[in-house]
Amino acid sequence: VVTCKCTSFPFSLLCLQVIKCKAAVMWEANKPFSIEEVEVAPPKAREVRIKIVATGICRSDDHVITGALVMPFPIILGHEAAGIVESVGQGVTSVKPGDKVIPLFVPQCGECKSCLSSKGNLCSKNDIGSAAGLMPDGTTRFTCKGKAIHHFIGTSTFTEYTVVHETAVAKIDSAAPLEKVCLIGCGFSTGYGAAVCTAKVEPGSTCAVFGLGGVGLSVVMGCKASGASRIIAIDINKDKFAKAKELGATDCVNPKDFKKPIHEVLIEMTGQGVDYSFEVIGRTETMAAALACCQYNYGVSVIVGVPPAAQKITFDPMLLFSGRTWKGSVFGGWKSKDSVPKLVADYMQKKFVLDPLITHTLPFTKINEGFDLLRTGK
């Protein structure tokens, strides 16, 4: 930060400089990340520039690479991170340089209908639906080799420095370990919240969780914290069952072990189906199966995994007519700016654990190896 005293004005202007740093740029779909030197512009009014200390990788990032989630290229992906505020633009009041923060891919403007309603959390200022890949003013803060680089859902954390809008950043406990609480930026909060916030799982309930990645395991943790008496974990990778049981699963089921559809297996296991089911994969087939395995009259099924682009679901409407509820959950239903600091505080008070969700820690330059581990289920 350079303070310039300009003789033509009776006050000091704060002149922020462009930062050159490393970033993992995705130039086009289905190609590896390229570690590049990028230029990160100073934050404009109500914007915050953050030094990223730790970032997780998420299946949603991989969906962009494969085209399942359509975004403009070139782009800097990443949305699950924690860092330290480097500088702020004019008018920023909620954070200051030196604060530990978590970027928010679901912002909280506090003014739109969803923010003002107790029923919702998907702020209208989000860039998930429009996929513009730009800051709210319609421009980008990233440049590489003379080319403008797109942002990813308002966060872009696969870079040493990023710029976000003030509505998309939460100040957290200064003692929080950033290499762990970065998971609260997406994976943990999304899964845990789907159970405790979106579904509102009740004590004694029976739950089914489809998919045992980091988000699915967080759903298991949320179901256990809510007092579920039976938590059935479903995955085609049996290597994930031990961790699921460690975090609260009572049963583990591999659909490959059965000749009949998995929803029929679950109905037989539970009598009339589960009280709550969660699809945490992002496949239309498992979304339909998760709905069908619910109790026919009052079962609730929650879609947590990002749906693939340009795909539709065909299902028997009687599944809903009989009384089931089908819900979606973005970021676990949490109002981000309000809830993330509280979730970090709960972690610091040991109300939940994060360590079991961290399988590998790699240097930033090995991000492609990290995605290989993700794709092989490791």
Side-chain angles (χ1 to χ4, degrees):
V1 178
V2 180
T3 302
C4 303
K5 291 187 178 179
C6 303
T7 56
S8 58
F9 292 94
F11 51 86
S12 295
L13 293 176
L14 194 63
C15 298
L16 303 176
Q17 297 180 327
V18 169
I19 287 178
K20 291 184 179 181
C21 67
K22 288 181 182 177
V25 177
M26 181 59 54
W27 290 103
E28 55 183 305
N30 295 301
K31 292 291 177 67
F33 289 94
S34 179
I35 303 298
E36 306 277 7
E37 181 180 83
V38 299
E39 295 179 342
V40 184
K44 294 185 180 180
R46 295 210 62 201
E47 294 178 357
V48 180
R49 189 160 59 183
I50 303 167
K51 176 181 173 63
I52 298 295
V53 173
T55 184
I57 60 176
C58 178
R59 183 66 72 176
S60 300
D61 301 306
D62 195 43
H63 284 335
V64 179
I65 298 168
T66 62
L69 181 60
V70 179
M71 292 283 167
F73 291 93
I75 192 169
I76 294 175
L77 297 174
H79 62 284
E80 178 183 271
I84 299 169
V85 174
E86 178 270 338
S87 58
V88 300
Q90 183 180 3
V92 171
T93 58
S94 60
V95 296
K96 64 183 185 305
D99 285 345
K100 284 187 176 181
V101 294
I102 288 178
L104 309 170
F105 71 91
V106 173
Q108 186 181 347
C109 72
E111 300 170 352
C112 70
K113 282 191 174 182
S114 289
C115 284
L116 294 174
S117 170
S118 61
K119 299 177 182 179
N121 75 316
L122 186 55
C123 174
S124 66
K125 301 295 192 333
N126 80 83
D127 190 36
I128 299 171
S130 64
L134 300 169
M135 295 294 287
D137 71 350
T139 63
T140 176
R141 302 293 167 269
F142 298 118
T143 308
C144 182
K145 299 178 179 176
K147 295 182 179 179
I149 308 295
H150 290 91
H151 294 249
F152 179 52
I153 53 179
T155 48
S156 289
T157 62
F158 292 165
T159 171
E160 292 177 320
Y161 288 86
T162 191
V163 177
V164 304
H165 195 270
E166 185 182 14
T167 57
V169 62
K171 179 182 176 180
I172 61 171
D173 187 337
S174 61
L178 300 183
E179 73 281 3
K180 299 185 189 301
V181 298
C182 63
L183 298 179
I184 292 174
C186 178
F188 172 78
S189 303
T190 295
Y192 191 80
V196 307
C197 195
T198 302
K200 295 180 172 59
V201 171
E202 299 155 323
S205 300
T206 298
C207 302
V209 182
F210 289 73
L212 301 176
V215 183
L217 292 173
S218 298
V219 175
V220 170
M221 293 166 67
C223 292
K224 182 180 180 182
S226 299
S229 60
R230 193 173 185 187
I231 303 169
I232 305 170
I234 303 117
D235 204 294
I236 59 173
N237 181 354
K238 67 182 188 308
D239 293 340
K240 299 197 173 187
F241 291 166
K243 182 70 67 70
K245 287 191 172 181
E246 174 191 337
L247 293 174
T250 57
D251 306 78
C252 292
V253 176
N254 186 340
K256 289 184 174 181
D257 293 339
F258 301 88
K259 292 183 179 179
K260 62 182 65 176
I262 187 61
H263 73 275
E264 293 182 10
V265 173
L266 295 170
I267 289 171
E268 287 182 6
M269 288 177 65
T270 57
Q272 288 192 341
V274 299
D275 299 309
Y276 300 95
S277 69
F278 303 86
E279 201 282 350
V280 205
I281 303 168
R283 291 172 53 87
T284 54
E285 297 91 339
T286 42
M287 290 173 187
L291 176 66
C293 79
C294 281
Q295 204 278 345
Y296 72 95
N297 179 227
Y298 56 77
V300 176
S301 186
V302 183
I303 294 175
V304 187
V306 176
Q311 289 195 25
K312 309 296 181 186
I313 297 180
T314 301
F315 68 99
D316 181 355
M318 186 60 73
L319 289 170
L320 293 179
F321 177 76
S322 63
R324 290 178 182 86
T325 300
W326 212 353
K327 306 186 75 170
S329 180
V330 179
F331 194 57
W334 305 108
K335 288 191 182 293
S336 59
K337 207 168 172 74
D338 292 341
S339 300
V340 163
K342 294 176 184 176
L343 287 167
V344 172
D346 286 347
Y347 169 74
M348 298 297 285
Q349 293 169 17
K350 296 181 169 52
K351 292 184 179 180
F352 56 80
V353 295
L354 292 174
D355 281 47
L357 302 178
I358 301 171
T359 57
H360 299 77
T361 301
L362 300 170
F364 180 49
T365 53
K366 292 189 177 182
I367 189 169
N368 286 306
E369 293 181 28
F371 273 84
D372 288 340
L373 290 166
L374 176 77
R375 292 164 188 146
T376 55
K378 297 177 181 177

